[in-house]
């Protein structure tokens, strides 16, 4: 309302609204600055001065307020104070001052602020190819390869034969194309090809840490997707060493540990990832699943019973089952104690085969739930745990013999 009234020239009403705004939010530097603007429009520069000072206190780099205060102080004859304000202000239309300050920011290791100063200079100077080249290199170093490409193209629009710009353009274009292609391959589920593409990225640009870190992170992700657990753990660990606060790397390494059936380490990684990204549902759900799998592993682990990996296919599971079923068939044992032990193992082997060859049951088990555990059944409780075919042939008495069908 204050802004509308000021634009309409209703200064007293505008001032009233800005008084209310200042009372409502005494930490907003812009509100003080705008109230000062109303005072100035009313010809009350003395009243504007405290508001401009307050705006500068709240935001010391607020150059417009310093410039305005400097003008008032100069008119009041406070030349020394006015000089201090003017010295603190760089003229926004002076490209040389901006370029000098940008160079200072670069040397201080603050490329983002250098970019803020350099960007306007591309419009303040005619044919400012040097600024476009520098901006392109700064964006490139920060990993903003698309923005880097945009800036270097602007340089070539000014002079397509500029050797420095063309040389950098070739590098940026090649790298940007590889990065975009790698992400497209991941979106299409072509993870092995994406790995190869990210390896090319590291060869194209070995000197900028951002791109090596990104490549390691994404290769780690892809190796988990193709269920190459051991290699994934190695690459993810290297990526974690390079970028210890990267929650994505910790999440992916946790998944690699799950593939490797090392649930304690998976839980540790997910807990650490949650510290760096507490809002991620993926990490929250992953931690809960890893905790369920750890709890489950302390009970029956059907993969371990059959001696197969978590990514074993149905054929491998059936083959392992047949071998173990023949080995532990109770008819192979003579003494009562041996038979009892064999019966127990045989039931576990049959249970493992039932769960792992049934897609729905296997999915439940992989999510940390044992589909044959009575605790997980509706209504809980009753019945004997473990025998998958709902009867136990060994309860029929002493010398029960039967043929087992391997399917």
């Amino acid at each position: 309302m204050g802004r509308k009234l000021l634009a309409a020239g209703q200064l007293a009403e505008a001032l009233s609204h800005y008084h209310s705004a200042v009372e409502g939010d005494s930490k907003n530097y812009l509100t003080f600055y705008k109230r000062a603007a109303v005072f100035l429009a009313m010809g009350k520069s003395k009243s504007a001065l405290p508001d401009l000072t307050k705006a500068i206190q709240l935001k010391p780099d607020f150059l417009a307020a310093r410039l305005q205060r400097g003008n008032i102080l100069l008119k009041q004859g406070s030349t020394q104070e006015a000089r201090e304000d003017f010295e603190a202000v760089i003229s926004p239309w002076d490209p040389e001052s901006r370029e000098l300050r940008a160079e200072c920011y670069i040397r201080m290791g603050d490329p983002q602020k250098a970019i803020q100063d350099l960007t306007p200079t591309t419009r303040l100077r005619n044919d400012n190819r040097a600024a476009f080249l520098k901006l392109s290199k700064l964006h490139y170093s920060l990993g903003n390869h698309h923005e880097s490409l945009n800036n270097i193209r602007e340089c070539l629009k000014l002079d397509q034969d500029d050797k420095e710009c063309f040389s950098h353009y070739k590098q940026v274009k090649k790298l940007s194309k590889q990065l975009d292609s790698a992400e497209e391959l991941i979106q299409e589920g072509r993870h092995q090809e994406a790995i190869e593409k990210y390896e090319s990225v590291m060869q194209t640009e070995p000197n900028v840490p951002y791109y090596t870190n990104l490549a390691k992170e994404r290769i780690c992700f892809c190796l988990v997707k193709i269920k190459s657990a051991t290699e994934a753990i190695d690459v993810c660990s290297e990526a974690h060493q390079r970028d210890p606060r990267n929650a994505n790397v910790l999440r992916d390494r946790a998944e690699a540990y799950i593939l490797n059936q090392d649930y304690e380490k998976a839980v540790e990684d997910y807990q650490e990832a949650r510290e760096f990204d507490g809002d991620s549902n993926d990490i929250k759900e992953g931690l809960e699943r890893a905790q369920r799998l750890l709890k489950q592993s302390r009970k029956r682990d059907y993969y371990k019973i059959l001696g197969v990996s978590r990514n074993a296919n149905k054929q491998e599971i059936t083959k392992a089952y047949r071998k173990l079923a023949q080995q532990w068939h109770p008819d192979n044992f003579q003494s009562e104690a041996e038979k009892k032990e064999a019966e127990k193992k045989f039931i576990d082997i049959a249970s493992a085969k039932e769960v792992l060859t049934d897609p729905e049951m296997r999915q439940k088990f992989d999510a940390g739930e044992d589909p044959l555990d009575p605790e997980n059944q509706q209504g809980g409780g009753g019945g004997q745990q473990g025998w998958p075919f709902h009867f136990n042939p060994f309860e029929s008495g002493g010398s029960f013999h039967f043929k087992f069908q391997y399917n």
Side-chain angles (χ1 to χ4, degrees):
M1 282 301 296
R3 197 161 50 243
K4 283 182 183 176
L5 291 163
L6 176 60
Q10 295 171 260
L11 302 179
E13 292 88 343
L15 186 61
S16 174
H17 279 285
Y18 276 117
H19 285 327
S20 300
V22 166
E23 285 171 21
D25 184 4
S26 61
K27 300 292 182 189
N28 190 330
Y29 73 94
L30 275 175
T31 311
F32 284 102
Y33 179 69
K34 286 172 183 173
R35 188 169 70 174
V38 179
F39 279 129
L40 288 170
M42 297 170 82
K44 297 181 177 180
S45 56
K46 204 178 240 185
S47 300
L49 207 54
D51 275 356
L52 290 168
T53 299
K54 184 66 178 173
I56 292 163
Q57 285 171 355
L58 290 168
K59 189 170 170 58
D61 63 346
F62 189 20
L63 302 184
R66 281 195 182 276
L67 191 60
Q68 198 73 266
R69 188 174 71 173
N71 286 328
I72 295 169
L73 290 166
L74 184 63
K75 286 173 184 174
Q76 289 180 346
S78 304
T79 53
Q80 184 56 40
E81 291 175 49
R83 179 176 179 155
E84 286 170 13
D85 270 343
F86 290 141
E87 283 179 344
V89 176
I90 289 179
S91 169
W93 294 342
D94 177 18
E96 188 179 350
S97 298
R98 283 188 172 276
E99 285 162 357
L100 282 169
R101 188 166 68 176
E103 190 58 40
C104 291
Y105 281 134
I106 291 168
R107 295 188 185 204
M108 288 165 64
D110 195 342
Q112 290 286 10
K113 284 190 176 174
I115 286 169
Q116 287 172 18
D117 262 340
L118 275 176
T119 302
T121 71
T122 60
R123 298 186 298 274
L124 295 170
R125 278 192 200 280
N126 289 328
D127 190 14
N128 200 348
R129 281 173 283 156
F132 279 122
L133 177 60
K134 194 168 274 188
L135 279 167
S136 179
K137 287 182 174 179
L138 286 167
H139 281 297
Y140 183 86
S141 71
L142 291 169
N144 305 327
H145 56 99
H146 289 133
E147 199 57 44
S148 175
L149 199 55
N150 291 340
N151 275 282
I152 205 65
R153 280 175 173 153
E154 290 300 320
C155 175
L156 290 171
K157 281 180 189 174
L158 293 169
D159 182 358
Q160 62 183 15
D161 297 322
D162 187 298
K163 287 182 180 176
E164 270 195 281
C165 286
F166 186 66
S167 172
H168 186 59
Y169 168 74
K170 286 194 295 183
Q171 172 71 6
V172 181
K173 188 183 177 187
K174 182 180 179 182
L175 185 72
S176 189
K177 189 177 178 182
Q178 287 174 334
L179 288 163
D180 289 344
S181 174
E183 284 304 307
E184 283 170 19
L185 290 166
I186 288 174
Q187 293 301 317
E188 292 167 10
R190 295 157 66 185
H191 296 105
Q192 186 58 53
E193 291 170 72
I195 290 170
E196 290 161 16
K197 191 63 72 175
Y198 269 117
E199 283 168 350
S200 300
V201 165
M202 289 189 286
Q203 288 173 355
T204 301
E205 182 45 84
N207 300 317
V208 178
Y210 174 88
Y211 298 108
T212 304
N213 292 356
L214 175 66
K216 295 284 183 188
E217 175 192 334
R218 299 306 275 158
I219 290 170
C220 154
F221 171 82
C222 291
L223 287 167
V224 172
K225 287 294 181 186
I226 62 174
K227 301 189 185 303
S228 185
T230 307
E231 197 179 348
I233 290 167
D234 288 344
V235 174
C236 294
S237 296
E238 189 185 344
H240 175 57
Q241 206 169 8
R242 297 180 69 92
D243 189 2
R245 300 179 66 84
N246 189 323
N248 292 337
V249 170
L250 285 161
R251 176 203 64 200
D252 294 336
R253 189 171 69 172
E255 287 300 313
Y257 280 134
I258 286 172
L259 287 171
N260 224 29
Q261 301 179 38
D262 193 341
Y263 307 119
E264 283 189 32
K265 286 185 178 175
V267 168
E268 286 171 14
D269 270 2
Y270 265 125
Q271 285 172 334
E272 194 178 341
R274 190 176 56 180
E275 288 175 24
F276 300 129
D277 188 357
D279 297 328
S280 167
N281 280 332
D282 278 356
I283 290 170
K284 182 173 175 281
E285 289 166 10
L287 175 58
E288 288 169 359
R289 182 163 47 84
Q291 287 169 332
R292 284 198 306 272
L293 287 165
L294 177 59
K295 185 181 173 186
Q296 180 193 82
S297 71
R298 288 166 179 164
K299 296 180 181 178
R300 290 197 300 180
D301 186 331
Y302 294 127
Y303 290 102
K304 282 186 178 175
I305 288 168
L306 293 184
V308 295
S309 67
R310 288 191 82 85
N311 59 339
N313 59 36
K314 189 173 181 178
Q315 190 179 355
E316 290 166 332
I317 289 163
T318 305
K319 184 181 176 183
Y321 159 72
R322 285 175 179 164
K323 183 181 175 185
L324 289 167
Q326 285 175 336
Q327 181 185 338
W328 288 100
H329 195 289
D331 287 352
N332 296 337
F333 299 87
Q334 301 304 316
S335 77
E336 198 59 36
E338 285 179 335
K339 268 189 185 296
K340 283 282 181 193
E341 178 64 20
E343 284 174 12
K344 185 176 178 301
K345 283 195 181 287
F346 193 81
I347 288 170
D348 282 347
I349 292 160
S351 299
K353 184 254 184 185
E354 185 192 15
V355 169
L356 299 183
T357 54
D358 181 299
E360 192 178 333
M361 291 174 86
R362 184 174 180 178
Q363 190 176 4
K364 282 184 180 178
F365 185 74
D366 286 347
E369 176 189 335
D370 185 346
L372 300 182
D373 187 339
E375 288 179 16
N376 294 326
Q377 306 299 324
Q378 283 188 340
Q384 178 173 339
Q385 178 185 339
W387 183 253
F389 306 111
H390 314 295
F391 75 99
N392 186 345
F394 306 118
E395 287 178 349
S396 301
S399 57
F400 185 87
H401 297 277
F402 65 96
K403 285 188 178 179
F404 197 88
Q405 187 175 353
Y406 304 116
N407 51 28

